[in-house]
Structures are given as C-alpha cells and as structure tokens.
PDB file of all heavy atoms in Angstrom:
ATOM      1  N   ILE A  17      -9.326   9.359  59.758  1.00 98.00           N
ATOM      2  CA  ILE A  17      -7.938   8.933  59.649  1.00 98.00           C
ATOM      3  C   ILE A  17      -7.713   7.717  58.796  1.00 98.00           C
ATOM      4  O   ILE A  17      -6.787   7.714  57.862  1.00 98.00           O
ATOM      5  CB  ILE A  17      -7.366   8.710  61.047  1.00 98.00           C
ATOM      6  CG1 ILE A  17      -7.441   9.972  61.947  1.00 98.00           C
ATOM      7  CG2 ILE A  17      -5.952   8.129  61.003  1.00 98.00           C
ATOM      8  CD1 ILE A  17      -7.047   9.782  63.394  1.00 98.00           C
ATOM      9  N   VAL A  18      -8.458   6.734  58.945  1.00 98.00           N
ATOM     10  CA  VAL A  18      -8.287   5.446  58.217  1.00 98.00           C
ATOM     11  C   VAL A  18      -8.532   5.796  56.706  1.00 98.00           C
ATOM     12  O   VAL A  18      -7.851   5.316  55.833  1.00 98.00           O
ATOM     13  CB  VAL A  18      -9.188   4.310  58.760  1.00 98.00           C
ATOM     14  CG1 VAL A  18      -9.146   3.097  57.832  1.00 98.00           C
ATOM     15  CG2 VAL A  18      -8.771   3.999  60.188  1.00 98.00           C
ATOM     16  N   ASP A  19      -9.648   6.483  56.510  1.00 98.00           N
ATOM     17  CA  ASP A  19      -9.985   6.805  55.010  1.00 98.00           C
ATOM     18  C   ASP A  19      -8.889   7.530  54.410  1.00 98.00           C
ATOM     19  O   ASP A  19      -8.620   7.370  53.103  1.00 98.00           O
ATOM     20  CB  ASP A  19     -11.255   7.671  54.990  1.00 98.00           C
ATOM     21  CG  ASP A  19     -12.471   6.761  55.243  1.00 98.00           C
ATOM     22  OD1 ASP A  19     -12.361   5.555  55.169  1.00 98.00           O
ATOM     23  OD2 ASP A  19     -13.535   7.332  55.541  1.00 98.00           O
ATOM     24  N   SER A  20      -8.115   8.443  55.049  1.00 98.00           N
ATOM     25  CA  SER A  20      -7.115   9.157  54.403  1.00 98.00           C
ATOM     26  C   SER A  20      -5.864   8.324  53.933  1.00 98.00           C
ATOM     27  O   SER A  20      -5.111   8.870  53.188  1.00 98.00           O
ATOM     28  CB  SER A  20      -6.511  10.227  55.469  1.00 98.00           C
ATOM     29  OG  SER A  20      -5.726   9.564  56.477  1.00 98.00           O
ATOM     30  N   PHE A  21      -5.880   7.059  54.364  1.00 98.00           N
ATOM     31  CA  PHE A  21      -4.825   6.197  53.867  1.00 98.00           C
ATOM     32  C   PHE A  21      -5.266   5.262  52.675  1.00 98.00           C
ATOM     33  O   PHE A  21      -4.591   4.356  52.307  1.00 98.00           O
ATOM     34  CB  PHE A  21      -4.378   5.223  55.045  1.00 98.00           C
ATOM     35  CG  PHE A  21      -3.430   5.941  55.965  1.00 98.00           C
ATOM     36  CD1 PHE A  21      -3.907   6.779  57.005  1.00 98.00           C
ATOM     37  CD2 PHE A  21      -2.091   5.748  55.822  1.00 98.00           C
ATOM     38  CE1 PHE A  21      -3.029   7.448  57.873  1.00 98.00           C
ATOM     39  CE2 PHE A  21      -1.153   6.424  56.728  1.00 98.00           C
ATOM     40  CZ  PHE A  21      -1.700   7.252  57.797  1.00 98.00           C
ATOM     41  N   GLY A  22      -6.475   5.580  52.175  1.00 96.00           N
ATOM     42  CA  GLY A  22      -6.894   4.855  50.985  1.00 96.00           C
ATOM     43  C   GLY A  22      -7.878   3.645  51.328  1.00 96.00           C
ATOM     44  O   GLY A  22      -8.660   3.779  52.355  1.00 96.00           O
ATOM     45  N   ASP A  23      -7.796   2.683  50.598  1.00 95.00           N
ATOM     46  CA  ASP A  23      -8.861   1.585  50.613  1.00 95.00           C
ATOM     47  C   ASP A  23      -8.595   0.610  51.775  1.00 95.00           C
ATOM     48  O   ASP A  23      -8.180  -0.472  51.573  1.00 95.00           O
ATOM     49  CB  ASP A  23      -8.950   0.902  49.326  1.00 95.00           C
ATOM     50  CG  ASP A  23     -10.327   0.228  49.135  1.00 95.00           C
ATOM     51  OD1 ASP A  23     -11.239   0.481  49.862  1.00 95.00           O
ATOM     52  OD2 ASP A  23     -10.405  -0.509  48.144  1.00 95.00           O
ATOM     53  N   ARG A  24      -8.761   1.116  53.049  1.00 98.00           N
ATOM     54  CA  ARG A  24      -8.533   0.254  54.143  1.00 98.00           C
ATOM     55  C   ARG A  24      -9.930  -0.094  54.721  1.00 98.00           C
ATOM     56  O   ARG A  24     -10.990   0.376  54.235  1.00 98.00           O
ATOM     57  CB  ARG A  24      -7.732   0.980  55.202  1.00 98.00           C
ATOM     58  CG  ARG A  24      -6.473   1.644  54.718  1.00 98.00           C
ATOM     59  CD  ARG A  24      -5.402   0.662  54.156  1.00 98.00           C
ATOM     60  NE  ARG A  24      -4.256   1.304  53.503  1.00 98.00           N
ATOM     61  CZ  ARG A  24      -3.110   1.640  54.094  1.00 98.00           C
ATOM     62  NH1 ARG A  24      -2.931   1.242  55.396  1.00 98.00           N
ATOM     63  NH2 ARG A  24      -2.147   2.287  53.472  1.00 98.00           N
ATOM     64  N   VAL A  25      -9.989  -0.862  55.821  1.00 98.00           N
ATOM     65  CA  VAL A  25     -11.321  -1.230  56.382  1.00 98.00           C
ATOM     66  C   VAL A  25     -11.284  -1.129  57.934  1.00 98.00           C
ATOM     67  O   VAL A  25     -10.246  -1.334  58.634  1.00 98.00           O
ATOM     68  CB  VAL A  25     -11.630  -2.702  55.955  1.00 98.00           C
ATOM     69  CG1 VAL A  25     -10.710  -3.708  56.642  1.00 98.00           C
ATOM     70  CG2 VAL A  25     -13.076  -3.039  56.357  1.00 98.00           C
ATOM     71  N   THR A  26     -12.331  -0.654  58.468  1.00 98.00           N
ATOM     72  CA  THR A  26     -12.602  -0.779  59.937  1.00 98.00           C
ATOM     73  C   THR A  26     -13.770  -1.670  60.317  1.00 98.00           C
ATOM     74  O   THR A  26     -14.829  -1.614  59.553  1.00 98.00           O
ATOM     75  CB  THR A  26     -12.924   0.612  60.485  1.00 98.00           C
ATOM     76  OG1 THR A  26     -14.111   1.223  59.718  1.00 98.00           O
ATOM     77  CG2 THR A  26     -11.720   1.562  60.349  1.00 98.00           C
ATOM     78  N   ILE A  27     -13.609  -2.507  61.266  1.00 98.00           N
ATOM     79  CA  ILE A  27     -14.586  -3.480  61.664  1.00 98.00           C
ATOM     80  C   ILE A  27     -14.853  -3.342  63.158  1.00 98.00           C
ATOM     81  O   ILE A  27     -13.854  -3.426  63.937  1.00 98.00           O
ATOM     82  CB  ILE A  27     -14.090  -4.918  61.305  1.00 98.00           C
ATOM     83  CG1 ILE A  27     -13.643  -5.033  59.847  1.00 98.00           C
ATOM     84  CG2 ILE A  27     -15.150  -5.915  61.712  1.00 98.00           C
ATOM     85  CD1 ILE A  27     -12.690  -6.179  59.628  1.00 98.00           C
ATOM     86  N   GLY A  28     -16.057  -3.031  63.483  1.00 98.00           N
ATOM     87  CA  GLY A  28     -16.325  -2.872  64.883  1.00 98.00           C
ATOM     88  C   GLY A  28     -16.884  -3.993  65.621  1.00 98.00           C
ATOM     89  O   GLY A  28     -17.802  -4.607  65.153  1.00 98.00           O
ATOM     90  N   GLU A  29     -16.361  -4.300  66.800  1.00 98.00           N
ATOM     91  CA  GLU A  29     -16.972  -5.231  67.765  1.00 98.00           C
ATOM     92  C   GLU A  29     -17.892  -4.357  68.551  1.00 98.00           C
ATOM     93  O   GLU A  29     -17.396  -3.675  69.499  1.00 98.00           O
ATOM     94  CB  GLU A  29     -16.019  -5.986  68.636  1.00 98.00           C
ATOM     95  CG  GLU A  29     -16.667  -6.975  69.582  1.00 98.00           C
ATOM     96  CD  GLU A  29     -15.738  -7.435  70.643  1.00 98.00           C
ATOM     97  OE1 GLU A  29     -14.839  -6.738  71.009  1.00 98.00           O
ATOM     98  OE2 GLU A  29     -15.966  -8.564  71.123  1.00 98.00           O
ATOM     99  N   VAL A  30     -19.163  -4.392  68.376  1.00 97.00           N
ATOM    100  CA  VAL A  30     -20.157  -3.579  69.030  1.00 97.00           C
ATOM    101  C   VAL A  30     -20.915  -4.457  69.967  1.00 97.00           C
ATOM    102  O   VAL A  30     -21.899  -5.173  69.621  1.00 97.00           O
ATOM    103  CB  VAL A  30     -21.032  -2.861  68.046  1.00 97.00           C
ATOM    104  CG1 VAL A  30     -22.052  -1.991  68.834  1.00 97.00           C
ATOM    105  CG2 VAL A  30     -20.198  -2.030  67.006  1.00 97.00           C
ATOM    106  N   ALA A  31     -20.429  -4.418  71.235  1.00 88.00           N
ATOM    107  CA  ALA A  31     -21.155  -5.324  72.272  1.00 88.00           C
ATOM    108  C   ALA A  31     -22.236  -4.508  72.859  1.00 88.00           C
ATOM    109  O   ALA A  31     -22.042  -3.621  73.659  1.00 88.00           O
ATOM    110  CB  ALA A  31     -20.193  -5.629  73.331  1.00 88.00           C
ATOM    111  N   THR A  32     -23.517  -4.867  72.482  1.00 89.00           N
ATOM    112  CA  THR A  32     -24.638  -3.916  72.804  1.00 89.00           C
ATOM    113  C   THR A  32     -25.863  -4.678  73.132  1.00 89.00           C
ATOM    114  O   THR A  32     -26.061  -5.915  72.755  1.00 89.00           O
ATOM    115  CB  THR A  32     -24.976  -3.028  71.515  1.00 89.00           C
ATOM    116  OG1 THR A  32     -25.998  -2.146  71.848  1.00 89.00           O
ATOM    117  CG2 THR A  32     -25.237  -3.815  70.313  1.00 89.00           C
ATOM    118  N   ASP A  33     -26.718  -4.107  73.871  1.00 84.00           N
ATOM    119  CA  ASP A  33     -28.015  -4.656  74.152  1.00 84.00           C
ATOM    120  C   ASP A  33     -29.039  -4.335  73.088  1.00 84.00           C
ATOM    121  O   ASP A  33     -30.190  -4.861  73.082  1.00 84.00           O
ATOM    122  CB  ASP A  33     -28.625  -4.037  75.486  1.00 84.00           C
ATOM    123  CG  ASP A  33     -27.755  -4.356  76.644  1.00 84.00           C
ATOM    124  OD1 ASP A  33     -27.329  -5.519  76.741  1.00 84.00           O
ATOM    125  OD2 ASP A  33     -27.602  -3.591  77.585  1.00 84.00           O
ATOM    126  N   LEU A  34     -28.667  -3.525  72.136  1.00 88.00           N
ATOM    127  CA  LEU A  34     -29.543  -3.024  71.128  1.00 88.00           C
ATOM    128  C   LEU A  34     -29.573  -3.694  69.818  1.00 88.00           C
ATOM    129  O   LEU A  34     -30.356  -3.369  68.946  1.00 88.00           O
ATOM    130  CB  LEU A  34     -29.340  -1.481  70.892  1.00 88.00           C
ATOM    131  CG  LEU A  34     -29.425  -0.638  72.185  1.00 88.00           C
ATOM    132  CD1 LEU A  34     -29.068   0.801  71.941  1.00 88.00           C
ATOM    133  CD2 LEU A  34     -30.805  -0.675  72.747  1.00 88.00           C
ATOM    134  N   GLY A  35     -28.677  -4.602  69.560  1.00 92.00           N
ATOM    135  CA  GLY A  35     -28.663  -5.448  68.427  1.00 92.00           C
ATOM    136  C   GLY A  35     -28.443  -4.777  67.166  1.00 92.00           C
ATOM    137  O   GLY A  35     -27.673  -3.835  66.963  1.00 92.00           O
ATOM    138  N   VAL A  36     -29.162  -5.218  66.086  1.00 97.00           N
ATOM    139  CA  VAL A  36     -28.930  -4.799  64.736  1.00 97.00           C
ATOM    140  C   VAL A  36     -29.039  -3.259  64.572  1.00 97.00           C
ATOM    141  O   VAL A  36     -28.308  -2.631  63.830  1.00 97.00           O
ATOM    142  CB  VAL A  36     -29.956  -5.432  63.712  1.00 97.00           C
ATOM    143  CG1 VAL A  36     -29.788  -4.987  62.326  1.00 97.00           C
ATOM    144  CG2 VAL A  36     -29.707  -7.027  63.803  1.00 97.00           C
ATOM    145  N   ILE A  37     -29.940  -2.612  65.315  1.00 96.00           N
ATOM    146  CA  ILE A  37     -30.088  -1.124  65.196  1.00 96.00           C
ATOM    147  C   ILE A  37     -28.760  -0.458  65.555  1.00 96.00           C
ATOM    148  O   ILE A  37     -28.415   0.446  64.903  1.00 96.00           O
ATOM    149  CB  ILE A  37     -31.243  -0.750  66.181  1.00 96.00           C
ATOM    150  CG1 ILE A  37     -32.565  -1.156  65.622  1.00 96.00           C
ATOM    151  CG2 ILE A  37     -31.283   0.831  66.231  1.00 96.00           C
ATOM    152  CD1 ILE A  37     -33.687  -0.848  66.603  1.00 96.00           C
ATOM    153  N   GLN A  38     -28.140  -0.951  66.574  1.00 96.00           N
ATOM    154  CA  GLN A  38     -26.849  -0.358  66.995  1.00 96.00           C
ATOM    155  C   GLN A  38     -25.727  -0.715  65.956  1.00 96.00           C
ATOM    156  O   GLN A  38     -24.826   0.130  65.761  1.00 96.00           O
ATOM    157  CB  GLN A  38     -26.491  -0.803  68.333  1.00 96.00           C
ATOM    158  CG  GLN A  38     -25.589   0.152  69.125  1.00 96.00           C
ATOM    159  CD  GLN A  38     -26.148   1.528  69.399  1.00 96.00           C
ATOM    160  OE1 GLN A  38     -27.266   1.941  68.798  1.00 96.00           O
ATOM    161  NE2 GLN A  38     -25.557   2.321  70.204  1.00 96.00           N
ATOM    162  N   TYR A  39     -25.714  -1.842  65.384  1.00 97.00           N
ATOM    163  CA  TYR A  39     -24.707  -2.192  64.399  1.00 97.00           C
ATOM    164  C   TYR A  39     -24.748  -1.182  63.213  1.00 97.00           C
ATOM    165  O   TYR A  39     -23.904  -0.771  62.657  1.00 97.00           O
ATOM    166  CB  TYR A  39     -24.790  -3.661  63.865  1.00 97.00           C
ATOM    167  CG  TYR A  39     -24.898  -4.696  65.010  1.00 97.00           C
ATOM    168  CD1 TYR A  39     -25.679  -5.797  64.913  1.00 97.00           C
ATOM    169  CD2 TYR A  39     -24.042  -4.488  66.179  1.00 97.00           C
ATOM    170  CE1 TYR A  39     -25.715  -6.759  65.903  1.00 97.00           C
ATOM    171  CE2 TYR A  39     -24.113  -5.497  67.121  1.00 97.00           C
ATOM    172  CZ  TYR A  39     -24.922  -6.571  67.037  1.00 97.00           C
ATOM    173  OH  TYR A  39     -24.986  -7.478  68.061  1.00 97.00           O
ATOM    174  N   TYR A  40     -26.091  -0.870  62.883  1.00 98.00           N
ATOM    175  CA  TYR A  40     -26.346   0.086  61.847  1.00 98.00           C
ATOM    176  C   TYR A  40     -25.898   1.430  62.153  1.00 98.00           C
ATOM    177  O   TYR A  40     -25.227   2.123  61.404  1.00 98.00           O
ATOM    178  CB  TYR A  40     -27.841   0.067  61.523  1.00 98.00           C
ATOM    179  CG  TYR A  40     -28.373   1.188  60.656  1.00 98.00           C
ATOM    180  CD1 TYR A  40     -27.966   1.195  59.329  1.00 98.00           C
ATOM    181  CD2 TYR A  40     -29.076   2.240  61.118  1.00 98.00           C
ATOM    182  CE1 TYR A  40     -28.455   2.268  58.457  1.00 98.00           C
ATOM    183  CE2 TYR A  40     -29.552   3.256  60.321  1.00 98.00           C
ATOM    184  CZ  TYR A  40     -29.199   3.248  58.905  1.00 98.00           C
ATOM    185  OH  TYR A  40     -29.615   4.260  58.125  1.00 98.00           O
ATOM    186  N   GLU A  41     -26.120   1.846  63.451  1.00 97.00           N
ATOM    187  CA  GLU A  41     -25.658   3.196  63.862  1.00 97.00           C
ATOM    188  C   GLU A  41     -24.154   3.324  63.713  1.00 97.00           C
ATOM    189  O   GLU A  41     -23.649   4.385  63.350  1.00 97.00           O
ATOM    190  CB  GLU A  41     -26.012   3.398  65.310  1.00 97.00           C
ATOM    191  CG  GLU A  41     -27.500   3.827  65.571  1.00 97.00           C
ATOM    192  CD  GLU A  41     -27.775   5.045  64.958  1.00 97.00           C
ATOM    193  OE1 GLU A  41     -27.005   6.139  64.967  1.00 97.00           O
ATOM    194  OE2 GLU A  41     -28.949   5.210  64.383  1.00 97.00           O
ATOM    195  N   TYR A  42     -23.412   2.280  64.026  1.00 98.00           N
ATOM    196  CA  TYR A  42     -21.943   2.359  63.947  1.00 98.00           C
ATOM    197  C   TYR A  42     -21.409   2.254  62.511  1.00 98.00           C
ATOM    198  O   TYR A  42     -20.211   2.511  62.299  1.00 98.00           O
ATOM    199  CB  TYR A  42     -21.357   1.314  64.874  1.00 98.00           C
ATOM    200  CG  TYR A  42     -21.213   1.774  66.289  1.00 98.00           C
ATOM    201  CD1 TYR A  42     -22.319   1.652  67.124  1.00 98.00           C
ATOM    202  CD2 TYR A  42     -20.119   2.365  66.788  1.00 98.00           C
ATOM    203  CE1 TYR A  42     -22.313   2.069  68.482  1.00 98.00           C
ATOM    204  CE2 TYR A  42     -19.990   2.830  68.111  1.00 98.00           C
ATOM    205  CZ  TYR A  42     -21.216   2.692  68.970  1.00 98.00           C
ATOM    206  OH  TYR A  42     -21.145   3.135  70.238  1.00 98.00           O
ATOM    207  N   THR A  43     -22.238   1.883  61.547  1.00 98.00           N
ATOM    208  CA  THR A  43     -21.782   1.754  60.155  1.00 98.00           C
ATOM    209  C   THR A  43     -22.457   2.649  59.178  1.00 98.00           C
ATOM    210  O   THR A  43     -22.387   2.493  57.968  1.00 98.00           O
ATOM    211  CB  THR A  43     -21.962   0.280  59.718  1.00 98.00           C
ATOM    212  OG1 THR A  43     -23.345  -0.104  59.888  1.00 98.00           O
ATOM    213  CG2 THR A  43     -21.068  -0.664  60.501  1.00 98.00           C
ATOM    214  N   LYS A  44     -23.068   3.683  59.682  1.00 98.00           N
ATOM    215  CA  LYS A  44     -23.665   4.673  58.740  1.00 98.00           C
ATOM    216  C   LYS A  44     -22.522   5.351  58.009  1.00 98.00           C
ATOM    217  O   LYS A  44     -21.367   5.426  58.533  1.00 98.00           O
ATOM    218  CB  LYS A  44     -24.421   5.790  59.602  1.00 98.00           C
ATOM    219  CG  LYS A  44     -25.805   5.319  60.031  1.00 98.00           C
ATOM    220  CD  LYS A  44     -26.537   6.365  60.762  1.00 98.00           C
ATOM    221  CE  LYS A  44     -27.897   6.017  61.156  1.00 98.00           C
ATOM    222  NZ  LYS A  44     -28.622   7.069  61.996  1.00 98.00           N
ATOM    223  N   PRO A  45     -22.775   6.045  56.902  1.00 98.00           N
ATOM    224  CA  PRO A  45     -21.646   6.715  56.175  1.00 98.00           C
ATOM    225  C   PRO A  45     -20.898   7.688  57.055  1.00 98.00           C
ATOM    226  O   PRO A  45     -21.477   8.394  57.859  1.00 98.00           O
ATOM    227  CB  PRO A  45     -22.443   7.477  55.088  1.00 98.00           C
ATOM    228  CG  PRO A  45     -23.713   6.597  54.853  1.00 98.00           C
ATOM    229  CD  PRO A  45     -24.022   6.102  56.197  1.00 98.00           C
ATOM    230  N   GLY A  46     -19.600   7.610  56.947  1.00 97.00           N
ATOM    231  CA  GLY A  46     -18.730   8.392  57.751  1.00 97.00           C
ATOM    232  C   GLY A  46     -18.276   7.758  59.025  1.00 97.00           C
ATOM    233  O   GLY A  46     -17.373   8.307  59.774  1.00 97.00           O
ATOM    234  N   ARG A  47     -18.877   6.560  59.317  1.00 98.00           N
ATOM    235  CA  ARG A  47     -18.527   5.858  60.561  1.00 98.00           C
ATOM    236  C   ARG A  47     -17.762   4.519  60.116  1.00 98.00           C
ATOM    237  O   ARG A  47     -17.058   4.592  59.089  1.00 98.00           O
ATOM    238  CB  ARG A  47     -19.713   5.521  61.353  1.00 98.00           C
ATOM    239  CG  ARG A  47     -20.322   6.845  61.918  1.00 98.00           C
ATOM    240  CD  ARG A  47     -21.641   6.646  62.664  1.00 98.00           C
ATOM    241  NE  ARG A  47     -22.182   7.927  63.051  1.00 98.00           N
ATOM    242  CZ  ARG A  47     -23.385   8.153  63.608  1.00 98.00           C
ATOM    243  NH1 ARG A  47     -24.236   7.122  63.648  1.00 98.00           N
ATOM    244  NH2 ARG A  47     -23.791   9.421  63.935  1.00 98.00           N
ATOM    245  N   LEU A  48     -17.886   3.441  60.844  1.00 98.00           N
ATOM    246  CA  LEU A  48     -17.052   2.331  60.541  1.00 98.00           C
ATOM    247  C   LEU A  48     -17.615   1.596  59.249  1.00 98.00           C
ATOM    248  O   LEU A  48     -18.722   1.874  58.853  1.00 98.00           O
ATOM    249  CB  LEU A  48     -17.187   1.314  61.647  1.00 98.00           C
ATOM    250  CG  LEU A  48     -16.801   1.832  63.022  1.00 98.00           C
ATOM    251  CD1 LEU A  48     -16.993   0.677  64.073  1.00 98.00           C
ATOM    252  CD2 LEU A  48     -15.290   2.210  62.995  1.00 98.00           C
ATOM    253  N   ASN A  49     -16.741   0.890  58.610  1.00 98.00           N
ATOM    254  CA  ASN A  49     -17.205   0.217  57.310  1.00 98.00           C
ATOM    255  C   ASN A  49     -18.108  -0.987  57.638  1.00 98.00           C
ATOM    256  O   ASN A  49     -19.021  -1.255  57.019  1.00 98.00           O
ATOM    257  CB  ASN A  49     -15.959  -0.347  56.585  1.00 98.00           C
ATOM    258  CG  ASN A  49     -15.027   0.797  56.124  1.00 98.00           C
ATOM    259  OD1 ASN A  49     -13.841   0.791  56.512  1.00 98.00           O
ATOM    260  ND2 ASN A  49     -15.569   1.815  55.536  1.00 98.00           N
ATOM    261  N   LEU A  50     -17.681  -1.678  58.742  1.00 98.00           N
ATOM    262  CA  LEU A  50     -18.442  -2.990  59.139  1.00 98.00           C
ATOM    263  C   LEU A  50     -18.596  -2.992  60.612  1.00 98.00           C
ATOM    264  O   LEU A  50     -17.789  -2.442  61.388  1.00 98.00           O
ATOM    265  CB  LEU A  50     -17.704  -4.182  58.652  1.00 98.00           C
ATOM    266  CG  LEU A  50     -17.486  -4.298  57.137  1.00 98.00           C
ATOM    267  CD1 LEU A  50     -16.479  -5.500  56.898  1.00 98.00           C
ATOM    268  CD2 LEU A  50     -18.742  -4.546  56.372  1.00 98.00           C
ATOM    269  N   ALA A  51     -19.620  -3.783  61.096  1.00 98.00           N
ATOM    270  CA  ALA A  51     -19.763  -4.145  62.508  1.00 98.00           C
ATOM    271  C   ALA A  51     -20.286  -5.536  62.538  1.00 98.00           C
ATOM    272  O   ALA A  51     -21.272  -5.793  61.831  1.00 98.00           O
ATOM    273  CB  ALA A  51     -20.677  -3.193  63.207  1.00 98.00           C
ATOM    274  N   PHE A  52     -19.709  -6.464  63.333  1.00 97.00           N
ATOM    275  CA  PHE A  52     -20.178  -7.817  63.419  1.00 97.00           C
ATOM    276  C   PHE A  52     -21.636  -7.890  63.798  1.00 97.00           C
ATOM    277  O   PHE A  52     -21.973  -7.244  64.682  1.00 97.00           O
ATOM    278  CB  PHE A  52     -19.348  -8.519  64.448  1.00 97.00           C
ATOM    279  CG  PHE A  52     -17.897  -8.641  64.134  1.00 97.00           C
ATOM    280  CD1 PHE A  52     -17.008  -8.024  64.994  1.00 97.00           C
ATOM    281  CD2 PHE A  52     -17.444  -9.332  63.108  1.00 97.00           C
ATOM    282  CE1 PHE A  52     -15.554  -8.179  64.786  1.00 97.00           C
ATOM    283  CE2 PHE A  52     -16.076  -9.437  62.840  1.00 97.00           C
ATOM    284  CZ  PHE A  52     -15.179  -8.839  63.672  1.00 97.00           C
ATOM    285  N   ASN A  53     -22.363  -8.756  63.042  1.00 97.00           N
ATOM    286  CA  ASN A  53     -23.859  -8.965  63.400  1.00 97.00           C
ATOM    287  C   ASN A  53     -23.905 -10.082  64.356  1.00 97.00           C
ATOM    288  O   ASN A  53     -23.977 -11.239  64.005  1.00 97.00           O
ATOM    289  CB  ASN A  53     -24.590  -9.213  62.098  1.00 97.00           C
ATOM    290  CG  ASN A  53     -26.120  -9.282  62.332  1.00 97.00           C
ATOM    291  OD1 ASN A  53     -26.485  -9.467  63.445  1.00 97.00           O
ATOM    292  ND2 ASN A  53     -26.806  -9.140  61.238  1.00 97.00           N
ATOM    293  N   PHE A  54     -23.814  -9.827  65.698  1.00 95.00           N
ATOM    294  CA  PHE A  54     -23.792 -10.808  66.645  1.00 95.00           C
ATOM    295  C   PHE A  54     -25.202 -11.342  66.911  1.00 95.00           C
ATOM    296  O   PHE A  54     -25.408 -12.465  67.434  1.00 95.00           O
ATOM    297  CB  PHE A  54     -23.313 -10.258  67.979  1.00 95.00           C
ATOM    298  CG  PHE A  54     -21.798 -10.010  67.991  1.00 95.00           C
ATOM    299  CD1 PHE A  54     -21.217  -8.918  68.686  1.00 95.00           C
ATOM    300  CD2 PHE A  54     -20.994 -10.800  67.295  1.00 95.00           C
ATOM    301  CE1 PHE A  54     -19.921  -8.620  68.748  1.00 95.00           C
ATOM    302  CE2 PHE A  54     -19.618 -10.615  67.249  1.00 95.00           C
ATOM    303  CZ  PHE A  54     -19.060  -9.511  67.945  1.00 95.00           C
TER     304      PHE A  54
END
C-alpha cells in the first residue's frame, strides 16, 4: 500500500529477543524499508 503512493518510507519498531537477525527479516525486499537497530 505504501509503495503504491510513490517514494514514501516505512520504519519498524521491532521489539524482539532476536536482535539484528529479526531487524533484517522485517526489512527484506517487499517488507519494511527500515527497522531500528536497537
């Protein structure tokens, strides 16, 4: 939906026990643009 509106951005707050691996999962192509590296 967001991509259909052009050059917008999605940023995920991913509160997880799995760290960087899970931030990557949420930002793979087709998913969110960014996820905070907590």
